Amino acid sequence: MTSVLNITRSILGQPWRWRGTGAELGDAFAADDLVSQLLMARGVARDDLDRHRLPTIRGFMPDPAIFQDMETAAARLADAVAAGEPVTVFGDYDVDGATSAALLIRLLRDLGSDPQAYIPDRLMEGYGPSGEALVRIAAGGARLIVTVDCGAQAFEALQMARDAGVDVIVVDHHKCATQLPLALALVNPNRLDEAAEAAAHGHLAAVGVAFLLGAALLRVLRGRGWFADRPEPKLIELLDLVALGTVADVAQLRGLNRAFVTQGLKVMAGRRNIGLAALADAARLTRAPTCTDLGFALGPRVNAGGRVGRADLGVRLLTTADEDEARTIAAELDRLNGERRAIEGLVSDEASELVAGQDNRAVAVVAGAGWHPGVIGIVAGRLKERLHRPAIVIALDGQGIGKGSGRSISGVDLGAAVLAAKDEGLLIAGGGHAMAAGLTVAADRVDALAAFLDDRLAADVARARDDRALLLDAVVSPGGVARSLVDALDVGGPYGAGWPAPRVAAGPVRIVRADIVGTGHVRAIASGADGRTIKTIAFRQAETPLGQALLAAGPHRRLWLAGRAKIDDWSGKGEAELHVEDAAWAD
């Protein structure tokens, strides 16, 4: 990657490089050419541009049968539908688990079944299926249990379920060990025995895997003539759930995932799911939701039930057919989300103090007594962003047991490292995927865990941090930050993990006015040599070198500004502005 504007060290201490070939755009530019450039910079071959320009399910959907155990799982579910067997869907308590469970429950209801949901309590039961819970479900009459977003490491629990005579289908996406737990079927693209074609879909969230299982189930029933005298459910109408779970789980938005989100947002705009519609109203979304809304408005509210409230609220909201119930649950989730934010702030402050002396560690590992387990994942993410290295936050209970959650940086596989720590006997339980992991550890083993992770991941973290640079897609004049540019950039979306939103550099500019607004944001008006001005904002940067530079620059020094060109929704005028992420002196 080549340097942009010869900037090798910005105000935040990083080089600016082109993500792809880059371009300097005039006020008049060819939108199609810009979109093609954006797609190719994200790994799309030139001869595949049309498919990626408007990603469809048909264009990216694999044959579900390529996945191990998929046909077995679909056939068993079809048998249950035909026989009217009691089925329980056992989900995780986060958004991916809630949407996965809701998708299968809604589909099975449309097929004439009456499935039940079981969501474990985060504090009382912890992550994943316990043997006691599965046996209890079986005793209640279920002959088939489908676990979603969990189960890949549930060896003891699935053995207990088998001994109790209940069939279990596991639908998961987390890292698998060489040995698999005993299940009737284990559908997971991250199985180590998957062929290359299936393993290429290892970036799917669990809800994406559940959608593929739904497609396989409908195909089996279609082949059996099930729909000869009854309507076939439209699986495509459940893509709103797939989009929400995919984005909220920070799954990479490439290939099939990008198609899921693109088409799922269209379904969501139709407000077919009354629970999602009520949640959008509670979040005060007055327009069709965007990818950003899924990650920062809807997802956190669904998560709030599992974090600080009742774990089953998310699934109930997403599966209810009662508008009054939907409004009531959505309001409760909105309230719980506010409570979660307050708790998160307290834990974040304490974790930040503890991590201050860990500059020599490749992985920041902090533990605290009394921390709420429901917010540690969010706090780990905040630490990771600030420190630019993986972080694990552990909540210790009164019995000397810690529940931990970790977040990683690109190029560092935290899930594999946690599995290795488990194999070394350092953990009671643990698992995850490359960018996120969960674990259970004895309090007296936390230091040993930190040392193990430091030794295992130091080289990967160093390499990832050395490669750190601000990647840019285009350079524009200050007047080029306009709605036409934002509209053109949006065509290359949706953007998210693995498919980063475009970043542009604008300038050189002089700062006409700058002040601090909100909770540490720096708002500024910048002017180019031609006198055209742009509105800018640097979120949570008031105390950083970037924020201080913007506040002190004044009209006598020129700057290049880099960030995301966005539409200012708050003013109601629909004007473009620049969300500044870095800056560099132009003279």
Side-chain angles (χ1 to χ4, degrees):
M1 291 178 286
T2 57
S3 175
V4 177
L5 302 170
N6 295 317
I7 294 170
T8 58
R9 186 173 180 82
S10 68
I11 286 173
L12 290 180
Q14 58 190 337
W16 289 7
R17 296 177 183 150
W18 291 119
R19 193 186 311 278
T21 56
E24 295 192 19
L25 303 178
D27 288 347
F29 58 89
D32 285 349
D33 291 343
L34 176 59
V35 173
S36 294
Q37 175 185 302
L38 295 173
L39 297 177
M40 289 189 290
R42 284 151 184 77
V44 178
R46 183 176 291 276
D47 60 4
D48 202 20
L49 286 173
D50 288 343
R51 187 168 69 115
H52 287 266
R53 195 181 296 271
L54 184 61
T56 63
I57 303 301
R58 182 184 296 275
F60 287 90
M61 183 82 167
D63 182 344
I66 67 173
F67 298 92
Q68 296 278 4
D69 285 358
M70 180 69 82
E71 291 181 296
T72 300
R76 181 65 183 88
L77 270 172
D79 291 343
V81 169
E85 284 185 77
V87 178
T88 294
V89 181
F90 187 113
D92 188 21
Y93 36 65
D94 69 358
V95 183
D96 193 17
T99 52
S100 301
L103 184 148
L104 290 180
I105 288 169
R106 292 176 71 94
L107 178 60
L108 290 170
R109 283 180 181 170
D110 287 345
L111 290 169
S113 296
D114 183 26
Q116 302 300 307
Y118 187 99
I119 309 296
D121 183 90
R122 181 188 292 266
L123 298 180
M124 302 302 295
E125 299 178 82
Y127 169 77
S130 67
E132 292 79 5
L134 296 183
V135 171
R136 188 165 59 250
I137 293 170
R143 306 318 311 148
L144 176 62
I145 299 173
V146 185
T147 73
V148 290
D149 197 28
C150 58
Q153 296 288 327
F155 292 91
E156 182 180 351
L158 295 188
Q159 180 64 63
M160 291 177 66
R162 171 167 290 197
D163 293 343
V166 64
D167 290 335
V168 179
I169 295 171
V170 174
V171 179
D172 205 351
H173 70 133
H174 292 98
K175 294 281 186 180
C176 291
T178 304
Q179 181 182 358
L180 297 174
L182 292 174
L184 176 73
L186 196 156
V187 183
N188 185 337
N190 286 305
R191 285 176 55 153
L192 299 181
D193 59 348
E194 285 288 11
E197 186 181 6
H201 291 84
H203 61 291
L204 293 179
V207 69
V209 184
F211 182 88
L212 293 175
L213 175 57
L217 168 61
L218 292 181
R219 183 162 65 184
V220 171
L221 290 171
R222 196 180 306 122
R224 295 180 182 182
W226 183 255
F227 303 117
D229 56 356
R230 53 174 65 85
E232 180 174 338
K234 295 180 179 179
L235 188 62
I236 206 84
E237 293 183 355
L238 299 177
L239 281 174
D240 49 4
L241 297 172
V242 183
L244 176 58
T246 297
V247 173
D249 211 52
V250 201
Q252 294 192 9
L253 296 191
R254 54 186 174 86
L256 181 57
N257 275 348
R258 193 159 160 264
F260 279 154
V261 175
T262 299
Q263 303 305 323
L265 285 170
K266 295 178 183 178
V267 175
M268 195 176 296
R271 295 172 66 96
R272 289 187 177 92
N273 186 308
I274 63 173
L276 278 176
L279 193 65
D281 291 342
R284 292 159 288 283
L285 289 177
T286 58
R287 47 166 171 71
T290 65
C291 196
T292 299
D293 295 327
L294 303 190
F296 293 97
L298 303 183
R301 284 170 169 81
V302 174
N303 254 336
R307 293 189 185 281
V308 297
R310 288 181 52 186
D312 66 345
L313 285 177
V315 171
R316 287 175 53 200
L317 176 73
L318 299 176
T319 57
T320 185
D322 185 314
E323 292 188 1
D324 289 337
E325 182 183 33
R327 283 191 291 269
T328 299
I329 296 175
E332 175 66 0
L333 288 173
D334 188 53
R335 184 191 69 78
L336 290 171
N337 190 50
E339 182 179 326
R340 183 271 305 169
R341 293 176 63 180
I343 296 171
E344 174 198 329
L346 294 174
V347 175
S348 185
D349 289 345
E350 293 182 20
S352 295
E353 291 181 10
L354 291 176
V355 84
Q358 296 188 15
D359 290 341
N360 61 329
R361 278 186 176 175
V363 181
V365 180
V366 292
W371 288 352
H372 197 298
V375 302
I376 54 177
I378 303 174
V379 174
R382 300 268 190 247
L383 289 179
K384 180 261 295 187
E385 291 296 328
R386 181 163 63 84
L387 301 172
H388 305 295
R389 53 194 166 104
I392 295 177
V393 178
I394 301 170
L396 301 173
D397 64 18
Q399 287 70 51
I401 300 297
K403 297 288 186 181
S405 187
R407 298 293 183 268
S408 194
I409 59 176
S410 180
V412 181
D413 192 335
L414 187 60
V418 166
L419 279 180
K422 179 184 174 186
D423 292 341
E424 288 289 316
L426 295 172
L427 301 176
I428 298 170
H433 47 80
M435 300 300 289
L439 56 88
T440 304
V441 61
D444 60 4
R445 302 291 277 169
V446 171
D447 289 341
L449 171 65
F452 175 85
L453 294 173
D454 190 59
D455 181 64
R456 180 181 174 92
L457 296 177
D460 290 343
V461 172
R463 186 161 43 249
R465 297 184 77 183
D466 286 344
D467 290 341
R468 179 173 167 250
L470 193 76
L471 301 183
L472 293 161
D473 293 278
V475 173
V476 301
S477 65
V481 180
R483 178 154 203 134
S484 58
L485 174 66
V486 177
D487 290 343
L489 294 174
D490 283 348
V491 175
Y495 299 104
W499 195 267
R503 187 181 288 117
V504 302
V509 299
R510 301 181 191 278
I511 303 300
V512 177
R513 183 177 75 250
D515 53 2
I516 299 174
V517 298
T519 55
H521 313 316
V522 178
R523 169 77 72 179
I525 301 295
S527 175
D530 60 359
R532 299 175 70 175
T533 61
I534 54 173
K535 293 176 13 180
T536 73
I537 187 166
F539 293 105
R540 295 181 295 276
Q541 295 290 336
E543 301 300 322
T544 71
L546 172 60
Q548 292 299 303
L550 293 174
L551 291 166
H556 304 297
R557 295 202 66 182
R558 298 191 308 158
L559 286 161
W560 287 100
L561 303 177
R564 320 280 189 182
K566 297 287 187 180
I567 298 300
D568 177 13
D569 289 325
W570 292 101
S571 67
K573 298 179 181 179
E575 297 176 339
E577 63 181 8
L578 189 68
H579 293 184
V580 179
E581 298 173 270
D582 200 358
W585 298 113
D587 49 27

